[in-house]
């Protein structure tokens, strides 16, 4: 397979000589990771550092009657044993609610549970010792007396009168409810020739980042300053939260992210055990390190996607969709996670269902309920995989019912490419999408007609292959509409500072962060292009609240579109500054000059006039040679936030080609395609690789991954042998194509691309499985993961 | 996930190992490959006083043919067994099973003896031992003894090995021109423990099969011989065997699959493996 | 004869190392914590993810399923040493060019495992590459680019 080809640059507004926009440049400075010389937070050690371990509740719901710490305190290497009540004196609790989710409610959550443990795995006591092994030894000696309480573990009955209420002061187990109606859904269903009605069930699953959550917190009482090494996606957000709950000023807190071994949204949330680690360093006045081990991760990393969606679609015989309706029920944990809330996933499902399609008639009802299971919150593609699977599942079921090809029914109903700006059935606003161009492209890429012919031929030999599609939309580049309006101190704007060093190299400090997706590379490409230097002359500084402009970090696919735009503007501003200095040195008009290939040149002829190193030398060391009254500035900061559109929606379509063995229920993935439109593509290879990684995560949800709980709230498969993540041998090759519809909300025109793969993969795989099984008279499968058991049940074989 | 404290000793000889095991009254564990033991220790599912490293004991890592049997020393690494020409030619069933065991890094350390001694119900080698009607050589405080495969597996992780014993070798009948073997397993991902698997051997006489031994794994506490299915294959058709299988197996539900699904998968495996057994040797 | 703390003499990346270790210390923790060789990573501590893959006496093993005490007299190579020797320069280069790594956490284990396959020579098929790497978890790439990189290096070595 070839390295991804560069795309030709698209927009003249970006037309810079030697531009890196649209080029598949290998990520700079990546060699340190192939050499094993990265620095992850789990690698960080500080002098006198203690290691934290936690005593965790074995019960899903229990009152903590007594904690005996005497024996544990005497264990070798122990520095401190700290139960919840003691830590509560150092750190205040929090409540995961935002005002724009009307009526959302939750109870205060403490860094370590004080009176009750509310899920199996919740920490009830902290142990700090010289080594992690010693901390675990001591944890075994902590005596906890529990009084078991009834556990709420069934979302369907969580709101029944007979079900215990987890937080009595809240009155019931309802976290959040939303109802939405648009157009005339009742009329739409009444005028339909056929109504498709089914229930979708999505298995709760989790991120399984390769590097577990890690934090090293260092309170220096001499400086009255807290430094936290934290593999977080949002360092400024955490800076605010650490300060707030410890009673510090933000400028007393520094958050440094280092290399992060995978996040996907897992590490953008506030975790009790991480907050506890930060409280412990303040209490103990020495650094404390906590790295969740894998067993801890399964019971404490946020889970996601635990939804039951009843859904209906009305369709006419000519294929016109007439109405959508969904009823979504999701069972989260006992607390809404802070600060983004656990209501967002359901909210997104209401927002996104039916999104690619023109039919405006829509009714949605979503309820989020508390349970005594691990907490749930935003994980890559938040809500999109579910909304997409529901939408696309209904569309393909409808196509079958009326005898229409699944490509044709989409051609009939997708919002036309020339109909923008447009509004989706939930009120979401689309600037410019390309559903039809993407559909045409994927049909060509996969040679759809040939696959159908092969499918038909092999069916006669009792080999069952299936094709499934999923059109999708994706939220990227969020404005303050996502969190800020709800009162969260989560920045939707971002900043970049670029400066010229004394040798004429460019350093860019950015508020967006890197977890492997290539945010640093994209920033470097943007800055190098806008400023006019080879990319080797650009260095990116990120992940440090002391050394970057105030920003939001990386989440909701915002780094390229928002961080990149700030970098673009800042680099242009620095170019102006440099040309002002150069003009003054050369006695030339700055407007007649440009920077190309790292040299100041005559703009019209390209003749080299003066090197950047010389400009820097004069500005920094010989300002006495500059005209009086002229002050050289060689550092520019620009910020950017999208203002015209609440979100920069992207779109795309995926297709899955697979075989199902009806005897065993085993599914073999043969190939996968994705055509995506993320606006201006800054680095095609990085976009492709984000899509591929995202697709495989979506395949994990479709076929393999499930946090399985019993009725007592015990997680049954919380280890890597029993919880199945996708490994190399079962994954298909994934071909990616591009369509480009830039956003006009920024000069770069870049939207986000990081989550699209995960959004569309589960729906397309589900549709392909059903397509494969149709000739066998199987009941359509609408639950995930689609294990062999699920397939065999659908076939009536067991 | 750090282990609880334990002591470590490197055994110089088999007698030394047995002596160390005997001193610790059931609180010592044999460390061979460690691919299962150390995971167990890391998760604190077990906290012995002593780990006895037997990797240095000489003479336990040979593969040799003797008297119509192939003897595989307990310390033969899976990787070595996978590469062995002798095993490829003389123990085709073992050769078929080896690539399914874990992954290269696991196979570089894991041992044949360790796998048989642990007797994970979803593991390949214990079923192969049962399918071939092999023997296990055990050394203990009262000397050496041989235990037949049919008598070795007693219950969940429970074998004829006592806490003071060391498994020293397995002996398997070498294949003849009449030997037929078959192997298949269902697992969600390459290298995983099987949901259900089948290791089989038989002796062909003309077109019929004799001495059929069908050892299913992943279907109970130990590998299970499906006796009715064996009779069905020996006497009649595959359909008869599959019908018999329904009586032979009653797998419990587990985290990966329900018993009902395992039964269905077992039947599918039986058909596939029966086809392998009936193929002519070239 | 048995002890909770063991003296070991082990060669690590060509360097003679004499340390006293707790019996319960795994090899990967010894390398990371005692020797500061943090290039080998801890992902699961039960042998499934492969992030801890190192070489002992020339073959790849799980560093989390090997006791440091067992390595007395052994020759251990980590990603740092294998990298500094230049042995896998072409693999590292191919990974870089094809973006066969994103967060980099699985990468040392992935490189060492891939190298063991390629040392056998020949041009393994994509399926064979996938099977060989089936014990190395990557959450970021979806594996496609990794297979591309290993396949490309196998071809290039075959030509050289």
């Amino acid at each position: 397979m070839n390295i991804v080809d560069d795309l030709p640059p698209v927009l003249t507004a970006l037309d810079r000589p030697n531009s890196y926009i649209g080029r598949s440049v290998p990520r700079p400075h990546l060699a340190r990771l192939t050499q094993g010389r990265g620095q992850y937070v789990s690698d960080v050690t500080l002098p006198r550092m203690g290691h934290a371990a936690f005593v965790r509740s074995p019960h899903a719901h229990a009152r903590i009657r007594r904690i005996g710490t005497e024996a544990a305190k005497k264990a070798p290497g122990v520095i401190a044993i700290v139960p919840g009540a003691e830590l509560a004196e150092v750190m205040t609790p929090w409540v995961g609610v935002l005002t724009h989710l009307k009526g959302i409610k939750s109870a205060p959550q403490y860094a370590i549970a004080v009176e009750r443990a509310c899920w199996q795995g919740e920490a009830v006591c902290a142990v700090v010792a010289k080594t992690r092994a010693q901390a675990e030894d001591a944890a075994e000696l902590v005596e906890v007396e529990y009084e078991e309480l009834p556990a709420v573990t069934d979302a369907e009955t969580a709101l029944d009168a007979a079900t215990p209420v987890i937080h009595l002061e809240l009155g019931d187990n309802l976290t959040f409810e939303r109802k939405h109606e648009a157009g005339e859904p009742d009329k739409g269903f009444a005028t339909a020739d056929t109504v498709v009605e089914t229930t979708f069930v999505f298995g709760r699953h989790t991120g399984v980042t390769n590097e577990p959550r890690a934090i090293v917190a260092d309170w220096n009482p001499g400086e009255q300053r807290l430094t936290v090494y934290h593999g977080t996606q949002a360092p400024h957000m955490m800076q605010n939260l650490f300060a707030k709950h410890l009673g510090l000023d933000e400028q007393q807190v520094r958050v440094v992210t280092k290399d992060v071994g995978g996040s996907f949204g897992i590490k953008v949330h506030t975790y009790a055990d991480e907050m506890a680690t930060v409280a412990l360093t303040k209490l103990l006045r020495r650094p404390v390190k906590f790295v969740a081990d894998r067993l801890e991760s399964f019971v404490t990393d946020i889970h996601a996607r635990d939804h039951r969606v009843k859904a209906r679609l009305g369709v006419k015989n000519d294929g016109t969709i007439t109405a959508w309706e969904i009823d979504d029920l999701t069972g989260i944990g006992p607390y809404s996670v802070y600060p983004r809330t656990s209501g967002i996933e359901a909210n997104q499902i209401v927002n996104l269902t039916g999104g690619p399609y023109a039919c405006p008639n829509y009714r949605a009802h979503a309820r989020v309920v508390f349970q005594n299971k691990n907490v749930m919150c935003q994980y890559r593609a938040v809500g999109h995989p579910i909304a997409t699977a529901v939408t696309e599942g209904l569309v393909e079921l409808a196509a079958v019912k009326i005898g229409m090809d699944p490509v044709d029914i989409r051609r009939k109903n997708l919002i036309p490419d020339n109909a923008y700006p447009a509004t989706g059935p939930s009120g979401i606003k689309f600037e410019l999408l390309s559903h039809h161009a993407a559909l045409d492209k994927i049909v060509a890429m996969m040679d759809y007609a040939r696959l159908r012919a092969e499918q038909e031929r092999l069916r006669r030999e009792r080999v069952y292959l299936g094709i499934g599609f999923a059109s999708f939309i994706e939220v990227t580049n969020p404005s303050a509409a996502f969190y800020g309006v709800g009162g969260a101190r989560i920045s939707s704007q971002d900043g970049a500072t670029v400066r010229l060093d004394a040798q004429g190299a460019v350093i860019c400090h950015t508020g967006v962060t890197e977890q492997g997706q290539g945010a640093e590379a994209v920033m470097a490409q943007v800055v190098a292009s806008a400023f006019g230097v080879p990319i080797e002359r650009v260095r990116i500084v990120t992940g440090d609240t002391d050394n970057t402009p105030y920003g939001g970090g990386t989440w909701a696919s915002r780094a390229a579109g928002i961080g990149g735009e700030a970098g673009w503007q800042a680099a242009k501003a620095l170019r102006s500054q440099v040309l002002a200095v150069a003009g003054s040195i050369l006695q030339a008009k700055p407007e007649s000059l440009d920077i190309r290939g790292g040299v100041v040149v005559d703009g019209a002829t390209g003749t080299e006039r003066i090197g950047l190193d010389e400009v820097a030398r004069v500005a920094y060391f010989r300002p006495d040679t500059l005209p009086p009254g002229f002050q050289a500035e060689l550092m520019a900061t620009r910020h950017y936030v999208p203002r015209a559109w609440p979100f920069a929606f992207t779109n795309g379509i995926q297709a899955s080609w697979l075989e199902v063995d009806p005897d065993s229920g085993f599914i073999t993935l043969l190939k996968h395609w994705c055509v995506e439109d993320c606006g201006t593509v800054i680095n095609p290879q990085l976009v492709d690789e984000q899509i591929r990684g995202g697709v495989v995560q979506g395949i994990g949800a479709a076929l393999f991954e499930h946090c399985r709980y019993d009725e007592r709230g015990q997680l049954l498969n919380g280890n890597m042998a029993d919880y199945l993540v996708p490994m190399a041998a079962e994954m298909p090759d994934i071909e990616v194509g591009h369509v480009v519809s830039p956003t006009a909300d920024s000069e770069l025109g870049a939207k986000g691309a990081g989550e699209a793969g995960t959004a569309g993969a589960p729906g397309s795989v589900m549709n392909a499985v059903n397509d494969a099984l149709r000739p066998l008279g199987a009941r359509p499968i609408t639950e995930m993961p689609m294990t062999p058991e699920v397939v065999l049940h659908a076939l009536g074989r067991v | 996930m750090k282990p609880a404290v334990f002591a470590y000793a490197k055994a110089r000889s088999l007698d030394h190992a047995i002596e160390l095991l005997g001193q610790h009254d059931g609180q010592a564990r044999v460390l061979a490959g460690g691919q299962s033991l150390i995971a167990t220790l890391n998760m604190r599912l077990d906290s012995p006083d002593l780990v006895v490293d037997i990797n240095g004991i000489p003479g336990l890592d040979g593969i040799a043919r003797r008297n119509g049997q192939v003897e595989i020393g307990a310390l033969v690494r899976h990787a070595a067994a996978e590469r062995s020409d002798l095993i490829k030619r003389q123990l085709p069933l073992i050769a078929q099973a080896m690539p399914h065991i874990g992954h290269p890094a696991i196979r570089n350390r894991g041992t044949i003896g360790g796998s048989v001694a642990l007797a994970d119900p979803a593991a390949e080698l214990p079923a192969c031992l049962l399918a071939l009607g092999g023997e296990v050589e055990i050394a203990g405080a009262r000397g050496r003894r041989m235990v037949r495969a049919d008598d070795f597996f007693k219950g969940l992780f429970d074998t004829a090995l006592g806490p003071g014993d060391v498994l020293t070798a397995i002996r398997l009948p070498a294949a003849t021109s009449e030997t037929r073997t078959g192997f298949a397993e269902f697992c969600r991902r390459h290298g995983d423990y099987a949901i259900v698997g089948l290791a089989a051997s038989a002796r062909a006489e003309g077109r019929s099969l004799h001495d059929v031994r069908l050892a299913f794994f992943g279907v109970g506490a130990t590998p299970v011989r499906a006796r009715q299915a064996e009779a069905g294959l020996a006497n009649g058709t595959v359909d008869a065997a599959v019908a018999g299988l329904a009586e032979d197996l009653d797998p419990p539900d587990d985290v990966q699959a329900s018993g009902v699904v395992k039964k269905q998968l077992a039947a599918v495996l039986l058909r596939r493996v029966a086809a392998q057994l009936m193929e002519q040797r070239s | 004869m048995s002890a909770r703390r063991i003296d070991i003499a082990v060669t690590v990346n060509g360097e003679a190392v004499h340390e006293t270790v707790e019996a319960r210390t795994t090899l990967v923790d010894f390398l990371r914590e005692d020797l500061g060789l943090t290039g080998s990573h801890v992902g699961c501590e039960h042998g499934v993810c492969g992030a801890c893959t190192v070489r002992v006496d020339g073959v790849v093993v799980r560093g989390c399923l090997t006791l440091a005490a067992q390595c007395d007299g052994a020759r251990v190579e980590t990603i740092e040493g294998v990298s500094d020797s230049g042995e896998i320069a072409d693999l590292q280069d191919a990974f870089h060019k094809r973006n066969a790594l994103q967060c980099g956490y699985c990468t040392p284990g992935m490189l060492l495992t891939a190298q063991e396959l390629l040392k056998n020579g020949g041009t393994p098929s994509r399926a064979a590459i996938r099977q060989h790497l089936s014990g190395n978890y990557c959450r970021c790439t979806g594996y496609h680019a990794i297979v591309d990189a290993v396949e490309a290096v196998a071809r290039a070595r075959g030509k050289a």
Side-chain angles (χ1 to χ4, degrees), chain A residues 391-406:
Chain A
T391 301
E392 298 300 287
L394 288 171
V395 165
E396 292 210 358
L397 288 173
V400 168
K401 267 205 161 165
I402 62 174
M404 198 169 189
D405 182 284

Side-chain angles (χ1 to χ4, degrees), chain A residues 133 136-137 140 293 295 661 663-664 666 703-704 708 717 720-722 724-725 729-730 788-789 792 797-798, chain B residues 1-5 43-44 186-190 192 195 254-258 260-261 264-265 268 272:
Chain A
E136 291 186 21
D137 295 341
E140 284 187 335
D293 68 34
L295 300 185
D661 172 15
D663 291 330
S664 65
F666 272 68
L703 299 180
F704 291 103
R708 300 183 53 201
N717 63 339
M720 292 199 65
D722 295 330
L724 306 179
V725 291
E730 290 70 41
E789 179 130 11
L792 289 173
R797 299 296 293 266
V798 295
Chain B
M1 286 155 64
K2 311 302 176 190
V5 170
M43 291 192 274
R44 296 199 182 205
F186 279 116
C187 57
R188 298 298 312 280
R189 305 171 307 179
H190 181 79
D192 282 353
I195 300 178
D254 69 22
V255 169
Q256 294 302 340
S258 66
V260 153
V261 165
Q264 164 72 18
L265 296 178
V268 176
R272 293 183 188 179

Side-chain angles (χ1 to χ4, degrees), chain A residues 267-334:
Chain A
K267 297 173 185 172
V268 82
H269 302 290
T270 301
Y271 288 92
D273 47 25
E274 293 176 0
M275 294 293 270
T277 305
V278 173
L280 286 167
T281 185
K282 187 129 189 305
L283 183 71
L284 301 176
R285 299 159 71 87
R286 63 198 288 177
V288 180
K289 178 175 188 174
F290 170 62
V291 180
D293 68 34
R294 186 54 60 188
L295 300 185
E296 283 181 293
S297 290
F298 275 110
V299 289
T300 57
D301 286 0
I302 55 108
H303 291 178
R305 319 246 215 267
D306 189 346
H307 287 255
R308 181 276 288 140
V309 184
K310 292 183 181 163
R312 287 203 306 155
L313 175 112
V315 67
K316 287 181 132 36
N317 287 332
D318 72 356
T320 308
I321 295 169
T322 60
W324 306 91
E325 179 166 2
I326 60 163
D327 183 304
D328 175 33
L329 176 68
T330 175
I332 58 169

Side-chain angles (χ1 to χ4, degrees), chain A residues 19 28 47 67 464:
Chain A
S19 170
I67 301 186
Y464 298 96

Side-chain angles (χ1 to χ4, degrees), chain C:
Chain C
M1 289 269 72
S2 71
R4 289 183 167 183
R5 297 183 65 77
I6 314 288
D7 293 331
I8 59 171
V10 54
T11 308
V12 180
N13 297 330
E15 195 180 299
V17 167
H18 297 268
E19 293 282 340
T20 307
V21 298
E22 272 196 272
R24 62 170 166 173
T25 301
T26 61
L27 176 60
V28 69
D29 281 347
F30 170 66
L31 293 167
R32 289 176 51 81
E33 313 280 338
D34 292 41
L35 302 185
L37 289 164
T38 55
S40 311
H41 300 138
V42 174
C44 75
E45 297 181 293
H46 48 289
V48 180
C49 75
C52 65
T53 304
V54 293
R55 267 196 216 153
V56 175
D57 293 333
V59 297
V60 293
V61 304
R62 302 290 206 224
C64 72
L65 297 184
T66 311
L67 298 178
Q70 285 180 274
C71 296
D72 184 35
R75 181 170 54 89
V76 176
E77 297 161 88
T78 70
I79 182 66
E80 292 94 333
V82 175
S83 178
D84 283 351
S85 74
E87 181 190 335
I88 53 170
D90 55 351
L91 255 178
Q92 291 166 309
D93 200 54
F95 267 55
H96 192 169
K97 281 206 173 66
R98 291 167 185 275
N99 212 60
L101 68 151
Q102 292 185 23
C103 81
Y105 205 74
C106 76
T107 306
M110 200 65 83
L111 287 168
L112 291 179
T113 306
Q115 174 64 354
E116 188 157 289
L117 173 68
L118 295 180
K119 266 158 69 162
N120 296 337
T123 320
S125 67
R126 291 179 74 83
I129 293 170
R130 284 180 180 277
Q131 268 204 8
H132 188 85
L133 298 178
S134 61
N136 290 79
Y137 175 48
C138 175
R139 192 51 142 174
C140 295
T141 67
Y143 306 105
H144 185 138
I146 295 175
V147 178
D148 286 352
V150 175
E151 187 183 37
V153 172
R155 288 213 176 107
R157 286 189 189 180
K159 286 190 189 132

Side-chain angles (χ1 to χ4, degrees), chain B residues 129-131 133-134 147-154 213 225 227:
Chain B
L129 179 77
L130 192 59
V147 178
R148 294 180 324 134
D150 282 321
D151 301 325
F152 182 76
F153 303 102
K154 300 195 144 144
R213 295 176 69 96
R225 276 189 61 191
R227 307 249 181 201

Side-chain angles (χ1 to χ4, degrees), chain A residues 610-651:
Chain A
I610 184 172
L612 287 173
D613 54 343
E614 181 62 11
V615 172
R617 186 190 72 82
V618 172
Y620 290 129
F621 305 117
R622 295 306 312 272
D624 56 303
T625 64
L626 293 170
F630 180 86
Q631 172 60 57
E633 297 288 354
L634 292 175
M635 183 159 168
T637 298
R638 291 292 181 271
H639 292 259
Y640 170 74
V641 65
R643 293 304 302 273
W645 299 92
F647 306 99
F649 275 96
T650 68
N651 68 277

